[in-house]
Amino acid sequence: MPLRIGVDVGGTNTDAVVLDGSRVVAVTKAPTSQDVTSGILAALAEVLQAVDVDEVASVLIGTTHFINAIAQARGLERVTAVRLATPPQSLLPMIDWPDRLREVVNAGTYVCAGGAQFDGSLLNELDEAGLRDIARKIDESGVRHIALSSVFSTVNPDPEIRAEEILREELPHVSVTRSTLVGRVGLLERENATILNAALLDLADRVIDGLEEGVSSVGISAPILLSQNDGTVMTLDRARRFPIFTIASGPTNSIRGAALLTGLDHGVVVDVGGTTTDVGMLQHGFPRESTVAMSLAGVRSNFRIPDVLSVALGGGTNVAEDGSALGPESVGFRITREARVFGGGTLTFMDVAVAAGAARIGDPSAVSDIPDVTIRRALDLASERVVRAIEKAKLTSGEIPVIVVGGGGPLLAALGGLGDVVIPEHAGVANAVGAAFAEAGGEVDRVYTLEGTTRAAALDSARAEAIARAVDSGADPASVRITDAEDVPLTHLPGGMAVHIRVKAVGPFRPLVAIPEGR
């Protein structure tokens, strides 16, 4: 089979693997660089020493460029938010954002008459003249990015679609990100995700240009794909339009990699890194997605994102000298300089685990003087955190497999209370394996009115649309499958004549098939 290279950027290391089908033929770990991109290229150059570059069919990358930008409020562009609703509004866009992030991104908000009711009927006729006047004001402000949202656009997207057409007519040089293409049901959370996506667009262009140039510089001419939050991949053209869909690819890739390396479709995955331990549920070979709004750097959003609990525990987590405190501070990617087993002066969880005999890393003699009481206290704290996270991730009280992956996975051997765990071969690079094994996908998340149709017919329509979206994203039409489907009747609507349907379809990616522009 053609070779696939998977790369995943973590807080401490950038991992890379080469897959031949499902077989791992080369692996490497390179320190994560401050600019991220150079660390990716270093990892690529390392694994290419083991294979013929001409046999590489695709390069699949999970990157932290965009989540870092949001967390640090750096590299973001100013965005004007336009909402279709009934003016005036008391809860305006970005009202509950952290001050620093709002100051960087907020370029003003406008509310224009328009939008839909909860049953899909029009709330107001779209005020096209008013919207064109708003466009002129935005043009005068010099802002180049607009986040467009509409009340109940997940039920009736037509007002939002028409508003986008008008804004593009008036402002052909300005980007317009439409909320129904980004978020789910829930105006404020969907609007937040749309604004963040718009703020990342210029950075996405710079990052993708850099990746294309860098990958080409190491001799690879194969297509580059970016990992998405839901365990699928997207083309660079799509990533330029929707960088927000990549921000949680790290935990997702680890969960997908755990499935491939173990052959298990269900279980709890514990991914131990240098800074955090991420715990998520593996269902049908993919991470369970969050069904509620999630906080992203203090901003509540409701786009596709895995339901993962992050615990402040990793190999680089700082430990108090008496073992009474564990983190949340971490030496992160400086672990090879600052941890005691590497000659540094900071006591970390890795030092404690090595002293307890969990793994042989660095110089064990450098931690032989750690008091037993310190080791016991620190391990008890770590065990309590991990066990609690596993219990929260589980859907039932019964026993299910616990799969441990990540570079710090062996350190958990010192903990009690975890029961039998599965640590597969190549667990340390499960995230890169998950990136390399990613598939193309499509999703539908919408409220359907049932006037003139049936619930079964609506579900069939959603399935067909999800499959079509997966194929448009590059999936093999003959291999597309539905991995998740749910429909919830909305009984609060008049006559119960509506249903909220969410369907996800995935299939093996066809890297050589041209992807339609704008998908």
Side-chain angles (χ1 to χ4, degrees):
M1 294 185 65
L3 301 181
R4 296 154 64 102
I5 296 181
V7 182
D8 190 88
V9 181
T12 305
N13 292 305
T14 295
D15 300 340
V17 302
V18 179
L19 289 188
D20 182 358
S22 61
R23 183 173 65 91
V24 178
V25 298
V27 303
T28 192
K29 282 181 175 288
T32 293
S33 58
Q34 188 169 0
D35 67 346
V36 180
T37 303
S38 60
I40 291 174
L41 299 183
L44 281 173
E46 183 70 23
V47 294
L48 284 176
Q49 296 181 20
V51 299
D52 184 349
V53 68
D54 292 332
E55 295 182 6
V56 176
S58 55
V59 179
L60 303 99
I61 300 174
T63 176
T64 56
H65 281 96
F66 306 119
I67 183 59
N68 289 347
I70 294 173
Q72 299 168 10
R74 294 180 180 177
L76 303 176
E77 300 301 316
R78 299 176 71 235
V79 177
T80 296
V82 176
R83 178 190 292 174
L84 307 182
T86 301
Q89 296 271 295
S90 58
L91 295 177
L92 292 175
M94 295 178 270
I95 191 170
D96 60 345
W97 284 34
D99 292 341
R100 169 61 179 159
L101 193 57
R102 184 171 57 247
E103 290 169 2
V104 170
V105 174
N106 188 8
T109 63
Y110 295 92
V111 180
C112 178
Q117 299 273 21
F118 56 79
D119 62 355
S121 61
L122 292 183
L123 175 65
N124 304 285
E125 289 292 336
L126 178 62
D127 182 1
E128 297 195 6
L131 186 59
R132 293 184 190 277
D133 184 56
I134 290 172
R136 285 190 289 272
K137 293 177 181 178
I138 294 174
D139 191 28
E140 292 171 358
S141 73
V143 175
R144 297 181 297 106
H145 300 290
I146 297 174
L148 173 64
S149 61
S150 172
V151 291
F152 291 105
S153 59
T154 52
V155 182
N156 182 357
D158 290 345
E160 205 176 83
I161 292 173
R162 176 54 184 156
E164 179 187 20
E165 293 173 351
I166 292 172
L167 290 173
R168 292 191 182 279
E169 289 173 7
E170 297 291 328
L171 303 168
H173 56 287
V174 173
S175 76
V176 180
T177 303
R178 188 157 55 84
S179 75
T180 46
L181 300 178
V182 176
R184 293 172 167 170
V185 175
L187 175 63
L188 291 177
E189 293 84 359
R190 171 164 39 87
E191 195 169 54
N192 286 342
T194 306
I195 295 169
L196 287 175
N197 187 81
L200 289 166
L201 291 178
D202 285 2
L203 176 63
D205 282 336
R206 295 194 297 271
V207 167
I208 292 170
D209 287 345
L211 290 176
E212 287 184 314
E213 181 179 349
V215 170
S216 175
S217 72
V218 295
I220 298 176
S221 58
I224 306 169
L225 307 167
L226 292 191
S227 300
Q228 297 194 95
N229 305 327
D230 63 354
T232 61
V233 291
M234 61 179 167
T235 63
L236 296 187
D237 283 343
R238 179 174 173 81
R240 290 180 189 275
R241 296 181 61 220
F242 301 108
I244 196 75
F245 290 155
T246 73
I247 63 165
S249 61
T252 296
N253 284 339
S254 294
I255 295 173
R256 287 282 291 147
L260 176 66
L261 293 173
T262 63
L264 298 173
D265 285 336
H266 292 77
V268 175
V269 178
V270 181
D271 178 20
V272 188
T275 306
T276 62
T277 292
D278 296 324
V279 182
M281 189 73 188
L282 174 67
Q283 290 181 303
H284 309 296
F286 284 84
R288 180 180 67 202
E289 292 186 26
S290 175
T291 57
V292 298
M294 302 287 285
S295 178
L296 180 63
V299 177
R300 285 174 57 80
S301 305
N302 66 352
F303 57 99
R304 290 177 292 169
I305 195 166
D307 187 4
V308 172
L309 178 62
S310 292
V311 180
L313 175 68
T317 299
N318 293 8
V319 179
E321 289 298 326
D322 63 355
S324 61
L326 194 63
E329 296 81 9
S330 172
V331 298
F333 64 87
R334 302 185 306 276
I335 191 170
T336 55
R337 301 194 306 269
E338 299 188 13
R340 290 191 186 180
V341 291
F342 294 117
T346 303
L347 182 63
T348 67
F349 179 64
M350 175 178 285
D351 297 319
V352 170
V354 170
R360 187 175 180 85
I361 301 173
D363 180 11
S365 66
V367 294
S368 60
D369 61 341
I370 300 177
D372 290 343
V373 65
T374 296
I375 296 173
R376 185 174 64 255
R377 285 174 177 170
L379 294 180
D380 286 346
L381 286 174
S383 179
E384 179 183 349
R385 292 182 188 178
V386 175
V387 170
R388 187 186 307 124
I390 291 174
E391 291 301 318
K392 287 183 177 180
K394 292 167 59 176
L395 295 176
T396 66
S397 59
E399 293 295 325
I400 62 173
V402 175
I403 308 167
V404 177
V405 297
L411 303 181
L412 295 194
L415 303 187
L418 300 186
D420 295 331
V421 300
V422 179
I423 303 180
E425 186 181 6
H426 302 302
V429 290
N431 50 358
V433 171
F437 199 61
E439 298 177 290
E443 184 187 58
V444 171
D445 189 320
R446 187 182 309 152
V447 175
Y448 288 76
T449 57
L450 299 182
E451 293 186 12
T453 186
T454 65
R455 182 174 168 182
L459 188 56
D460 287 342
S461 175
R463 286 194 180 104
E465 184 175 349
I467 290 173
R469 290 186 177 188
V471 172
D472 284 347
S473 295
D476 182 354
S479 303
V480 177
R481 63 196 185 278
I482 301 294
T483 60
D484 195 12
E486 61 181 32
D487 56 314
V488 179
L490 302 181
T491 56
H492 62 283
L493 297 186
M497 296 297 291
V499 61
H500 181 191
I501 296 177
R502 187 172 72 86
V503 177
K504 179 178 177 179
V506 299
F509 189 76
R510 300 171 299 158
L512 298 182
V513 174
I515 308 301
E517 180 68 24
R519 290 292 183 181

